[in-house]
Amino acid sequence: MDNKKPQLTSGIVNSYALANGLNTMAFTVPTLYLNMFMTDYLGINPVALGTGMLIAKTVDFIVGIVAGIIIEKANMKRGKYMSWIRILTATLFFGNIIQMLDTTAFVGNSTARLIIVMIGYMMFHCSMNFNATARAALIPKMAGSDMESRKLITARQGQVAAAVSIIASATILPIVSFVQKTTGQDSLGYFIAALLFSTSFVVCNMIFIKKASVFDPPMAAAEAKKSSPTVKQMVASVVTNKQMLVLFSGYVFFTVGTQLYAGVLTYFFRVTGNFGKYTLAQTARAICAFLTSMVAPKIGKRIGKKNALVVGWLVYAAGALLIWAFGYSSATQTANITVVIIGMCICQSAMYLYTVFMANYYLDCGEYGYATTGVDNRTMAVTVMNWPTKIGFAVGGSLVGYSLAWAGYIAPDAASGTAGSFQYMNRFMMIVGLIPAICIVIGAVIIFTLYKLTDAQASEYAKMNAEREAAAKNA
């Protein structure tokens, strides 16, 4: 029997990164435009939007809690992790495009239209709970205990995500404009953009599955049962993992802030009459993010992953504060688009200071937990990576709708030719800049003061755990 370990090649690393990057690119359409699409095209009231998204994102969070447990307990025929990635390709595809489907022509009730969006959202994000967990769990399978290879995989993923975001940012509104000129329906353009990007993801994801399946062969039933801890052990190993809880708490505050910021930014360009410059702004910040992602691994190696996280969050907060303080003049009621674009570039660049190490933070905590408790719950550690994100989605995402109502958003009326506006622009500027910055700074302070796990310690724990597993197999 040939037990030769499969080799991690650049082709596998690149296909891993490209599949994830294209999935991110596909979801860029609803990330940037879904809230505006619901209020301005589907005629959904901001309060209803906030309530509907709160429900959908709460369901998403609940699924996120159990996703890792289900993956650990299931013994899929085509590999413990690759099976999920394979199956969920379809639900990710359809969930993404359903969100950007203009249903006004055949669904007369706005609540029913909201429910359709919620279904698409839950299809995509509930699937991502399993997909992201499975993909992150593959990292130690592909790289083993080699921390540099792990960093290479996550860094390449961040770099590719930043690169494809340039394409998405530069093409979404031009696609919308082209479709509008061709069909007279600009709402259809958002659906077409989501469809094109989602199709690209499906193709590249299948290529990755073919290349990487060798790292995740099917497990025998007895082996799967032996290697899988109980639900009680998994939950306990997370709750008792102090470093995981610190990381979790910091990310909750950060994600709430970024979800609020990202959810309302499109409205700024729309209500100030600068929507045509939104493509320029999105492309500029995507280019800055890509450039940052290329140097971030070196920066992280020099200052450490923890400091990269803290610095990234503080710089992100500074960019949001810049937009709040100088992006709009209440006295003249004019927008300073240059300042806003600079602030956007600062925020996006700051994010890629740490995004290139994203999964590694949780993998490090997983190695720490395994080494200190003896319970191998590293897959559960990766699942926890989604929990603060999902809480942030639920809280920050629902706050978008309620905040729009608080600022007095008035959707555009095509019949009368009126543009969208805010009754209280000063409140809106707080929503887009000040409040997100406060949340992000709180997260950074939590990490800086309480997170103690160094890169050297994480590497040592990984080696210790690898030796433990090798000894157990030889016993």
Side-chain angles (χ1 to χ4, degrees):
M1 182 176 179
D2 186 6
N3 293 319
K4 184 179 180 181
K5 181 180 178 180
Q7 295 298 308
L8 180 65
T9 65
S10 59
I12 294 173
V13 173
N14 291 335
S15 65
Y16 178 94
L18 188 58
N20 183 75
L22 290 174
N23 191 34
T24 301
M25 184 173 76
F27 189 61
T28 297
V29 184
T31 295
L32 296 178
Y33 300 103
L34 180 59
N35 293 315
M36 181 271 293
F37 189 80
M38 286 192 283
T39 56
D40 295 7
Y41 291 103
L42 300 184
I44 297 171
N45 179 275
V47 174
L49 182 157
T51 303
M53 287 295 98
L54 177 60
I55 295 171
K57 293 177 182 187
T58 300
V59 171
D60 174 33
F61 172 62
I62 294 172
V63 173
I65 292 177
V66 301
I69 298 173
I70 294 174
I71 290 175
E72 281 296 290
K73 291 296 181 182
N75 185 22
M76 306 289 275
K77 293 182 178 180
R78 293 193 172 185
K80 186 174 185 178
Y81 306 116
M82 294 302 296
S83 296
W84 292 100
I85 296 173
R86 189 187 304 271
I87 292 170
L88 296 172
T89 301
T91 53
L92 289 169
F93 173 84
F94 287 107
N96 193 56
I97 64 175
I98 286 173
Q99 294 176 79
M100 304 310 297
L101 179 63
D102 188 348
T103 54
T104 54
F106 52 90
V107 179
N109 185 276
S110 62
T111 301
R113 294 196 289 270
L114 173 60
I115 291 173
I116 292 173
V117 174
M118 291 168 61
I119 291 171
Y121 183 94
M122 288 184 289
M123 284 180 64
F124 182 89
H125 284 277
C126 290
S127 297
M128 276 301 297
N129 287 318
F130 289 88
N131 184 71
T133 299
R135 283 178 53 83
L138 278 175
I139 294 175
K141 278 186 167 288
M142 293 190 295
S145 61
D146 185 348
M147 301 302 283
E148 291 305 313
S149 292
R150 293 188 185 188
K151 290 179 183 178
L152 172 63
I153 294 171
T154 54
R156 187 64 49 80
Q157 177 170 279
Q159 291 163 353
V160 171
V164 298
S165 70
I166 298 175
I167 300 173
S169 300
T171 58
I172 293 174
L173 288 184
I175 290 173
V176 172
S177 178
F178 174 78
V179 173
Q180 195 277 332
K181 292 178 181 179
T182 305
T183 67
Q185 299 180 5
D186 54 348
S187 64
L188 180 61
Y190 295 100
F191 176 81
I192 296 298
L195 178 63
L196 291 173
F197 297 162
S198 297
T199 301
S200 300
F201 154 69
V202 169
V203 173
C204 288
N205 200 47
M206 296 309 295
I207 294 174
F208 164 68
I209 290 170
K210 184 177 181 180
K211 285 179 174 289
S213 292
V214 65
F215 289 95
D216 186 30
M219 297 174 66
E223 183 183 0
K225 183 177 181 180
K226 181 180 178 181
S227 65
S228 179
T230 65
V231 174
K232 183 178 179 180
Q233 285 176 318
M234 289 194 290
V235 173
S237 68
V238 174
V239 174
T240 58
N241 189 325
K242 296 179 181 179
Q243 296 306 299
M244 180 69 75
L245 291 177
V246 170
L247 192 64
F248 182 99
S249 301
Y251 259 102
V252 167
F253 281 98
F254 173 76
T255 310
V256 169
T258 56
Q259 280 297 298
L260 186 56
Y261 159 80
V264 300
L265 188 60
T266 303
Y267 288 95
F268 178 87
F269 286 84
R270 195 165 179 85
V271 302
T272 60
N274 292 284
F275 200 55
K277 297 179 181 179
Y278 198 35
T279 295
L280 171 63
Q282 292 290 349
T283 304
R285 77 172 184 173
I287 292 173
C288 290
F290 173 70
L291 295 176
T292 303
S293 73
M294 298 303 292
V295 300
K298 293 182 179 179
I299 296 174
K301 188 172 184 179
R302 180 178 293 272
I303 68 176
K305 295 197 296 292
K306 171 187 173 178
N307 290 333
L309 188 65
V310 173
V311 171
W313 287 5
L314 291 177
V315 173
Y316 199 121
L321 286 173
L322 179 66
I323 294 173
W324 166 67
F326 303 107
Y328 185 82
S329 172
S330 298
T332 61
Q333 295 186 345
T334 56
N336 190 329
I337 295 300
T338 300
V339 169
V340 173
I341 293 177
I342 291 173
M344 291 170 60
C345 290
I346 291 173
C347 290
Q348 199 75 359
S349 298
M351 188 173 70
Y352 278 90
L353 284 174
Y354 67 89
T355 297
V356 294
F357 309 114
M358 181 65 177
N360 281 300
Y361 293 110
Y362 291 88
L363 288 171
D364 288 353
C365 288
E367 300 287 4
Y368 163 80
Y370 186 18
T372 55
T373 67
V375 179
D376 186 3
N377 201 14
R378 288 171 290 184
T379 299
M380 190 64 179
V382 175
T383 299
V384 174
M385 178 176 68
N386 293 323
W387 292 6
T389 301
K390 300 307 180 180
I391 293 175
F393 277 15
V395 177
S398 61
L399 281 177
V400 169
Y402 299 134
S403 297
L404 291 174
W406 178 62
Y409 180 63
I410 303 172
D413 186 347
S416 61
T418 57
S421 62
F422 285 98
Q423 291 179 299
Y424 310 102
M425 194 64 185
N426 61 322
R427 293 183 182 180
F428 174 73
M429 293 308 297
M430 292 173 64
I431 296 166
V432 78
L434 178 61
I435 298 174
I438 292 173
C439 294
I440 293 168
V441 169
I442 292 173
V445 171
I446 290 173
I447 298 298
F448 180 75
T449 57
L450 300 176
Y451 188 76
K452 306 298 183 181
L453 190 58
T454 67
D455 291 357
Q457 288 174 327
S459 179
E460 189 63 32
Y461 288 138
K463 292 178 181 177
M464 184 189 308
N465 293 332
E467 292 171 357
R468 172 186 290 172
E469 290 187 329
K473 288 182 179 179
N474 295 328

